[in-house]
Every structure is written in structure tokens, then in C-alpha cells.
Amino acid sequence: MNFIWIWNGKKIKQYMIVVIAAFFTAGILYVERSQITVFSPVAEATAIYKAETNEKKIALTFNLSWGEEKAIPILDVLKDQGINNATFFLSASWAERHPDIVERIVKDGHEIGSHGYRYENYPQWEDEKIRKDIQMAHNTLYELTNKVPKLLRPPNGNFDKRVLKIAEAQKYKLIHWSVDSKDYTNPGVEQIISNVMDNVTGGDIILFHASDRVKQTQKALPTIIDGLKKKGYDFVTVSELIAHTEAKSSEVK
């Protein structure tokens, strides 16, 4: 017996509409699912404290907020050692009072970062006060150096997520450190040397000070720099360190 299948044109059209609708729905679900995968939540606030690199590059950094007796001897040591690319984080109110030292820092080839204007703890301030302090420091340092500062190390190195967001909104990278010389405690020349040499690795940002509070930094620096050179380390500014490497950050609470 032969069977004859008769297809109704109206029925075919209905089936085709159903099939097309099913494919369209599946396409929407696929796109939405892809978007969920691509668009991840906003990253947590972070501060740069080290560069993730296999190269033996390090950055010497100096905080400077008061006094005029220690900065020049430290600059002299750096010059004698052939270091012309340290990064100095300057308190802008200090910089206003000592434009000659600022000029020397720039002339010697070092990088200038902001250490805020007034040397007070940002986390204790209201948002607008922090914003104004960063901007005031920015304007002052630009006027003195004719260079736009892009790095910020808050006074005392103290910050929280709120401070970081304000800094980022003003186009600053917030820079901490991975090796602390603890020279501000004046623990002795040998201890300062040990604090650095026993802990340094490639990509480190090393913290020193050039304010009058430090009494032993200029004596420790020659041994530290010689020792780092013998270990094969190259010295770069913080900007150079993080420009061509993956910056290692820490989450801010």
C-alpha cells in the first residue's frame, strides 16, 4: 500500500515560525551567557608595591617631607654611585620652602612623585579635603618642576580604599613599597644595610627617607648600592619599573 503525505502550506509556515523563534531565543541566551562571562565585577581597590618580573630591576625611593640637612648629602651619594633615576616622593609644602633642593633632584635626573601637600594622614580626612590636598600638591610640584607628577605616596604611607579611589580619579597611581629599610628608626648603619640586602628581589620598590630625621641613611647607601650592583641589579625609576612589567598590587580594605 502506498502512503501519500500531504503537506498543508499553512501548517508548514507555522512550523517554520516556531523553529525560527527557537533559534532566535537560543541565540539571545547564548549572547547573554557570553556577556555574563565577559563582564566581571569591578576589581577591588589596589596599591602597587612591587613589579612582577624575572628581570633584576629595582627602584630606590625616598620620602622627603621636612628639613634640609640630609637631602643634599644623600643626593651626593647617589651621584657618586652613578644613580640618576631614583624616585623622590616630595611633600609639596616642603618643596615650596626648598625649591633649590627640588631643582637639584630634577637636575640629577631623578623622578618626582607626590607625597601630598600637608603631611597628615589622609584616612582621617573627609573626601573633599583629601581631593584638594592632592590637587594642591599636584599644582605645586608641576610649577616647581615643569613635570606632571603621576605617582602618589600618601603621607606616612597611610591610605584606605577611599583614598585610593580618590587618587585614581585624579589620574594617580598609588605607590607603596615591598622592602622597608626602616632608616627612619635610625637602627644603625649595619641594620639598615641588612634590612635591604636580606630581603631584596627583582621588582622591589625600596623605601628610604631623605628628611632630617634619618641620621644613618647616607652612610648605609654606598654599601647597599655596591652590594646590589654586585648581585646584578639594575636601578630604574618606579615609573620605568611598572611600565613594562606586571605591577603587583595588594587589596585595600
Side-chain angles (χ1 to χ4, degrees), residues 24-45:
F24 182 73
T25 302
I28 292 176
L29 291 174
Y30 177 80
V31 171
E32 288 181 346
R33 187 172 183 181
S34 298
Q35 288 178 332
I36 290 172
T37 302
V38 172
F39 296 105
S40 57
V42 176
E44 293 294 329

Side-chain angles (χ1 to χ4, degrees), residues 46-50 61 63 87 89 113-115 150-154 157 159 164 172-177 205 238-239 242 247:
T46 58
I48 298 170
Y49 70 95
K50 183 181 174 70
T61 70
N63 292 354
T87 300
F89 289 93
S114 176
H115 205 29
K150 298 179 180 180
L151 308 177
L152 172 68
R153 179 174 285 165
F159 60 92
L164 179 56
Y172 273 94
K173 293 183 184 297
L174 202 149
I175 307 298
H176 203 52
W177 56 84
I205 297 173
V238 170
S239 291
I242 65 179

Side-chain angles (χ1 to χ4, degrees), residues 68 72 75 94-107 144:
E68 58 183 6
I72 295 299
L75 286 168
W94 172 90
E96 280 182 326
R97 298 191 299 274
H98 304 285
D100 53 330
I101 301 178
V102 177
E103 183 180 4
R104 166 72 188 276
I105 294 171
V106 174
K107 183 179 178 181
L144 289 171

